[in-house]
Amino acid sequence: MKKRLIIFSLLLIIFVPCLEAQKKEISQARTYIKSGKNLDKAEQMMQRLLKDSVHRQNEKIHLIYTESIRKQYDAINENMYLKKTVDTASFFNIIRRLFLANESLDTLDATPNEKGSVKPKYRAKNSMFLHTIRQNLFNGGAFFIRKQKFEDAFKMMDAYLDCSRQPLFSSYKYPENPEAAYWALYSGYKLSNPTLTLKYADIAKQDTAHLEYTLQYLCETYKALGDTTAYVNTLKEGIERYLDYPYFFSYLVDYYTSRNQLDSALTVVEKGLEHDPERILFLSSKNNLLLNLGKYEECIKVSDKLISKDDSLAEAYYNAGVAYINMAFVLEKEKKATKKQREAILDKYRKAKPYIEKYRQLAPDKKDRWAAALYNIYYQLNMGKEFEEIDNLLRKA
């Protein structure tokens, strides 16, 4: 019994000073609010108290906390009305904190009583006021995006979108806002934060004005997370919707090519050419794939088509030249020593020559590609002077 009394006494010794400190802070905060000065200090004092789980169920602290922020909002609003200079960033942040504080208060206010019924006292009044200024959360997000302050931008859009799930605003039934969701996703992407990027992704995809960008940011996010399935599926979705937007086409073709799934890559390319048979991006991709697939005759035809459209496309010359060289290799492997067979081989090298020489002119810095090809061509065609030049280049490399 004595031990229990001692423990109880110790608890009183600890608890009473804490209670006195709490009363002192509440009293000081009220003084600040009444005077209209040091309102930020009043907010900080109550915020400190609410961080302690002991005080989170204290309605009085919540009320003083929300009032301290409301007074800051009123003060800035008055200065704006009087056309005084105000800190715009501070104004928007105060509004966000005002929403968060009132939502926290509402959670406590809506706690079921001993009979299990919920009768919030402050919800109607607080939600009515906050409803009238809710658009400023969106405006604040847009403001911070323009300033490239993406963390603040996300917080503003997050607060705006979160209203739709908050019981405080249940009477307003806010619809989903795809544009706000897009800007939240964009901010998360700029922060390289996958969790934030994906939080409102489903809603953001309803914003058709920005959908191609939404899908691109999602692709890059899934890729960073190593979620290959989501990455590829989103690339495919992008191609279905935006074949004219090169990102999805290029990356899906690259994905298949890097895994040696060349037939799958070619299927994507053919889809692009069905959409636009003359587009250089699609033709160039087909050109590369045909060479890798060993379809040399088709590769040369596509190369010639590309060159007719733009004679500065170095890769088209290279692919055609290499296709002819590879055709010569195929003939050489047949090991037929007839004069006719040898002439057919030399004909392929002769046809390869102008393509590779043009490639050299257009891409002089790509010596690792054209030098070896020209070495072989000049050797086979017995072009002594040209062969020596290339031989010397390769020896110096």
Side-chain angles (χ1 to χ4, degrees), residues 365-381:
D365 58 324
K366 301 287 186 179
K367 188 174 71 172
D368 58 321
R369 302 184 81 191
W370 52 256
L374 288 176
Y375 180 94
N376 204 20
I377 290 169
Y378 294 150
Y379 174 79
Q380 294 291 341
L381 297 179

Side-chain angles (χ1 to χ4, degrees), residues 62 65 104 108 134 154 192 203 235 290 318 327 348 391:
H62 279 276
Y65 181 49
S104 182
L108 178 63
R134 178 174 175 254
F154 181 87
S192 300
I203 302 174
L235 285 173
L290 289 172
Y318 180 78
M327 289 166 74
K348 301 302 180 189
D391 186 47

Side-chain angles (χ1 to χ4, degrees), residues 178-179 182-183 204 207-215 217 242:
E179 185 182 2
Y182 166 75
W183 290 118
D207 179 19
T208 56
H210 299 102
L211 184 54
E212 64 267 48
Y213 302 111
T214 294
L215 293 175
Y217 302 148
Y242 302 105

Side-chain angles (χ1 to χ4, degrees), residues 206-330:
Q206 298 171 35
D207 179 19
T208 56
H210 299 102
L211 184 54
E212 64 267 48
Y213 302 111
T214 294
L215 293 175
Q216 178 179 335
Y217 302 148
L218 289 175
C219 283
E220 293 180 21
T221 300
Y222 292 135
K223 189 175 183 180
L225 289 171
D227 189 341
T228 303
T229 300
Y231 173 64
V232 173
N233 287 341
T234 309
L235 285 173
K236 288 179 179 178
E237 182 180 354
I239 282 179
E240 289 298 322
R241 294 173 178 271
Y242 302 105
L243 252 175
D244 287 322
Y245 191 63
Y247 175 87
F248 307 108
F249 174 87
S250 299
Y251 277 89
L252 188 57
V253 170
D254 285 348
Y255 172 82
Y256 286 132
T257 302
S258 67
R259 286 158 178 76
N260 203 34
Q261 298 175 18
L262 301 183
D263 288 331
S264 296
L266 190 58
T267 299
V268 175
V269 170
E270 294 294 3
K271 184 180 183 67
L273 287 167
E274 284 177 20
H275 173 70
D276 185 353
E278 303 300 316
R279 189 165 182 184
I280 286 177
L281 172 64
F282 302 151
L283 288 169
S284 295
S285 297
K286 184 172 184 177
N287 191 218
N288 292 330
L289 286 169
L290 289 172
L291 180 63
N292 290 330
L293 285 165
K295 298 182 179 183
Y296 302 127
E297 296 281 3
E298 292 179 61
C299 173
I300 292 164
K301 287 179 182 178
V302 176
S303 290
D304 288 340
K305 184 173 183 177
L306 282 165
I307 292 166
S308 70
K309 287 179 168 296
D310 184 350
D311 61 7
S312 67
L313 293 171
E315 201 68 17
Y317 290 99
Y318 180 78
N319 286 351
V322 171
Y324 275 119
I325 292 171
N326 287 349
M327 289 166 74
F329 289 162
V330 171

Side-chain angles (χ1 to χ4, degrees), residues 89-90 92-93 96 137-145 147-159 183-184 187 191 196:
S90 177
F92 285 128
N93 280 322
R96 185 181 68 85
L137 292 172
F138 181 93
N139 296 340
F143 168 81
F144 286 121
I145 285 167
K147 297 292 184 181
Q148 297 188 30
K149 295 183 176 180
F150 298 112
E151 185 173 352
D152 290 324
F154 181 87
K155 289 177 180 178
M156 296 299 296
M157 292 301 180
D158 186 37
W183 290 118
S187 299
L191 292 166
L196 302 186

Side-chain angles (χ1 to χ4, degrees), residues 16-224:
V16 171
C18 288
L19 190 62
E20 290 300 319
Q22 173 193 315
K23 286 181 178 179
K24 184 178 180 181
E25 288 199 286
I26 290 173
S27 177
Q28 183 63 66
R30 280 175 168 164
T31 300
Y32 286 148
I33 292 170
K34 189 174 182 180
S35 69
K37 298 177 181 178
N38 297 313
L39 295 170
D40 56 334
K41 290 184 179 179
E43 177 189 357
Q44 290 163 15
M45 291 166 71
M46 295 302 98
Q47 192 175 47
R48 251 190 327 267
L49 289 177
L50 290 172
K51 284 181 179 178
D52 189 334
S53 58
V54 173
H55 305 307
R56 284 177 198 155
Q57 303 304 310
N58 190 320
E59 185 179 286
K60 187 185 299 182
I61 295 173
H62 279 276
L63 288 169
I64 296 171
Y65 181 49
T66 55
E67 188 177 4
S68 67
I69 304 171
R70 173 65 186 271
K71 290 290 185 180
Q72 292 176 68
Y73 169 79
D74 290 342
I76 290 187
N77 233 10
E78 183 179 344
N79 286 335
M80 291 172 69
Y81 178 77
L82 296 173
K83 301 190 183 306
K84 293 182 179 180
T85 302
V86 299
D87 184 338
T88 307
S90 177
F91 172 68
F92 285 128
N93 280 322
I94 285 170
I95 291 173
R96 185 181 68 85
R97 298 202 305 274
L98 188 57
F99 271 78
L100 296 180
N102 276 280
E103 287 163 5
S104 182
L105 171 62
D106 184 71
T107 299
L108 178 63
D109 190 28
T111 302
N113 59 24
E114 61 277 2
K115 295 181 180 179
S117 61
V118 176
K119 296 180 180 179
K121 303 185 292 292
Y122 310 107
R123 179 175 293 178
K125 178 183 176 182
N126 290 343
S127 65
M128 187 180 298
F129 165 67
L130 293 173
H131 172 71
T132 64
I133 65 170
R134 178 174 175 254
Q135 184 60 31
N136 279 317
L137 292 172
F138 181 93
N139 296 340
F143 168 81
F144 286 121
I145 285 167
R146 289 194 297 272
K147 297 292 184 181
Q148 297 188 30
K149 295 183 176 180
F150 298 112
E151 185 173 352
D152 290 324
F154 181 87
K155 289 177 180 178
M156 296 299 296
M157 292 301 180
D158 186 37
Y160 177 82
L161 290 160
D162 191 56
C163 290
S164 62
R165 74 168 190 84
Q166 288 291 336
L168 175 60
F169 301 104
S170 55
S171 61
Y172 292 97
K173 294 180 171 57
Y174 293 125
E176 294 177 339
N177 188 312
E179 185 182 2
Y182 166 75
W183 290 118
L185 179 146
Y186 175 76
S187 299
Y189 169 75
K190 284 292 188 179
L191 292 166
S192 300
N193 187 320
T195 302
L196 302 186
T197 304
L198 298 175
K199 184 171 183 179
Y200 296 106
D202 289 340
I203 302 174
K205 287 172 72 172
Q206 298 171 35
D207 179 19
T208 56
H210 299 102
L211 184 54
E212 64 267 48
Y213 302 111
T214 294
L215 293 175
Q216 178 179 335
Y217 302 148
L218 289 175
C219 283
E220 293 180 21
T221 300
Y222 292 135
K223 189 175 183 180

